[in-house]
Amino acid sequence: MSEKPQGLHIYTPTRLEWLAVMLNTLFQYDNLSSDGFMLYYMGLKDGETIRIVIRYDANVNKSLMEQKIRVARGAISRYAKSYGWESWIKTEVDIEELNQ
């Protein structure tokens, strides 16, 4: 009797995990080489906060980075609302310069 391959085991993500996956799929931004920053999303262990994570270097295009943060906040709001989760979703931003 053969077991299923590991990749075929059923896994049901939490709502927060699902929202982070959707946001990263559609809105993640990684252009460190030309714009000097990357942006991605992660759900926190509190079960209600999505963190927008931004890492940048000295050559960052600050105006583009700020624009992408606004877009990220809007995306979280729109997607949470589309799922009916807007009443409990919180957003936080974590910006940090990369050490090189």
Side-chain angles (χ1 to χ4, degrees), residues 16-30 39-43 50-53 75-76:
L16 200 60
E17 289 170 329
W18 180 251
L19 186 57
V21 166
M22 292 301 297
L23 292 166
N24 278 312
T25 300
L26 299 169
F27 300 103
Q28 183 177 20
Y29 188 80
D30 187 358
L39 179 151
Y40 60 92
Y41 305 82
M42 62 185 288
I50 289 283
R51 179 179 286 163
I52 303 166
V53 180
I76 292 168

Side-chain angles (χ1 to χ4, degrees), residues 6-94:
Q6 291 296 314
L8 295 179
H9 284 249
I10 295 173
Y11 172 75
T12 304
T14 66
R15 291 174 172 185
L16 200 60
E17 289 170 329
W18 180 251
L19 186 57
V21 166
M22 292 301 297
L23 292 166
N24 278 312
T25 300
L26 299 169
F27 300 103
Q28 183 177 20
Y29 188 80
D30 187 358
N31 205 345
L32 196 57
S33 61
S34 75
D35 294 327
F37 72 98
M38 64 179 106
L39 179 151
Y40 60 92
Y41 305 82
M42 62 185 288
L44 299 186
K45 291 186 187 285
D46 70 357
E48 54 191 29
T49 304
I50 289 283
R51 179 179 286 163
I52 303 166
V53 180
I54 297 101
R55 297 296 178 257
Y56 68 95
D57 65 21
N59 300 320
V60 66
N61 178 336
K62 283 192 178 187
S63 64
L64 181 60
M65 184 173 76
E66 290 167 2
Q67 175 190 4
K68 291 291 186 182
I69 292 169
R70 285 191 300 275
V71 168
R73 286 182 181 277
I76 292 168
S77 178
R78 282 190 309 279
Y79 273 80
K81 188 173 183 173
S82 75
Y83 290 117
W85 302 340
E86 71 275 12
S87 64
W88 57 268
I89 286 289
K90 297 175 186 169
T91 303
E92 114 181 359
V93 180
D94 175 17

